[in-house]
Amino acid sequence: MQYAHYTPADLKSQFKKLALQSPTAAIERALQKLESPVLSQASRQHALDTAGLLLENGFGEDTICASLIKPVLDDSLTHQFDPQIIELAKVTIKISAVLQKNADLVPSETLSKLLIATARDIRAIVIQLARVLTELRFAPVNENNQEKAKIALNVLVPLSAKLGLQQFRWELEDLSFKQLEPETYLQLKRQLNEKRNARQDKAKTFEAKLK
């Protein structure tokens, strides 16, 4: 599957298409904050892609805003966004820290319970899942990303299933497999493409006989 990065214009257009309205003032403000010169292009792009994924999956304004301001969150934003958005971004940062600190120390089931207890608001976990998913979408196969894939497979895949986020679960599994077993992944991908092409050729032949 081919993935495309989001731009601010893409996000606004998609919001208008899916939410049937123009982006709210809060989302416009959050997008402006991403233009901060202290933020790297990679961090900015990651935030945009995460927000796009959340929007595609039907999550609301507060969740999208929190995902956008997470990389630039500081005290200056306190009076510029609703308290629940600020709190959601703060809790997402805590969840990320708990995940990184305990991934190799705590059994996956125990860590899942710890993340849920830390979150209080499940939307914070959803944001973290979306951040990991978008990162793996564009990640080259290397040792560092393979470590991230192990965490995703062992902790985040079952957590996604527990929360009923099946699309997240399936894609995290797929992308983790791509990192951890790249040769097997490419082989299976080629086989699937060959089968799909064969089916398409048969369909074209059948259609030609009907004409």
Side-chain angles (χ1 to χ4, degrees):
M1 183 175 182
Q2 296 295 319
Y3 297 109
H5 285 297
Y6 266 87
T7 66
D10 293 333
L11 195 64
K12 292 178 184 179
S13 175
Q14 189 78 335
F15 190 91
K16 192 170 185 178
K17 177 182 177 181
L18 297 178
L20 302 179
Q21 65 180 47
S22 297
T24 62
I27 289 179
E28 291 280 10
R29 198 178 308 119
L31 288 171
Q32 291 174 1
K33 296 303 175 183
L34 282 183
E35 297 303 317
S36 169
V38 303
L39 193 65
S40 70
Q41 176 57 33
S43 295
R44 183 179 298 111
Q45 188 63 67
H46 191 194
L48 288 169
D49 292 337
T50 299
L53 176 61
L54 292 168
L55 180 57
E56 290 168 10
N57 283 272
F59 291 97
E61 175 191 345
D62 287 357
T63 307
I64 294 169
C65 278
S67 73
L68 287 170
I69 66 171
K70 177 188 176 292
V72 292
L73 187 64
D74 60 31
D75 292 340
S76 69
L77 301 185
T78 303
H79 302 295
Q80 300 182 46
F81 294 91
D82 287 344
Q84 58 186 352
I85 294 175
I86 297 294
E87 181 62 20
L88 194 51
K90 287 181 178 179
V91 174
T92 303
I93 292 172
K94 290 180 182 178
I95 287 174
S96 179
V98 168
L99 183 62
Q100 294 302 318
K101 181 179 179 181
N102 296 282
D104 296 326
L105 304 175
V106 179
S108 58
E109 180 63 25
T110 303
L111 183 51
S112 292
K113 293 178 180 178
L114 180 59
L115 292 173
I116 292 173
T118 302
R120 299 189 300 276
D121 188 331
I122 294 300
R123 292 176 300 173
I125 293 180
V126 171
I127 293 173
Q128 182 61 25
L129 290 171
R131 285 184 61 82
V132 174
L133 178 49
T134 52
E135 186 174 16
L136 288 176
R137 278 182 172 183
F138 301 101
V141 176
N142 59 42
E143 186 175 346
N144 183 50
N145 289 326
Q146 286 170 346
E147 287 301 314
K148 295 176 182 177
K150 288 178 183 177
I151 295 173
L153 190 61
N154 294 331
V155 181
L156 301 184
V157 165
L159 183 56
S160 298
K162 183 179 294 186
L163 297 178
L165 299 170
Q166 297 303 329
Q167 187 61 44
F168 281 30
R169 172 194 178 182
W170 294 328
E171 196 171 345
L172 282 168
E173 281 181 330
D174 185 62
L175 294 173
S176 296
F177 182 50
K178 178 182 178 181
Q179 286 288 337
L180 298 172
E181 299 289 344
E183 293 184 5
T184 305
Y185 177 87
L186 289 175
Q187 183 179 3
L188 290 174
K189 186 177 180 181
R190 282 194 296 269
Q191 291 174 354
L192 289 173
N193 287 337
E194 288 170 0
K195 289 181 180 179
R196 183 173 63 249
N197 291 337
R199 287 196 301 269
Q200 291 174 344
D201 289 342
K202 287 182 180 179
K204 289 178 181 178
T205 301
F206 181 71
E207 289 173 1
K209 289 179 179 180
L210 294 177
K211 292 180 180 179

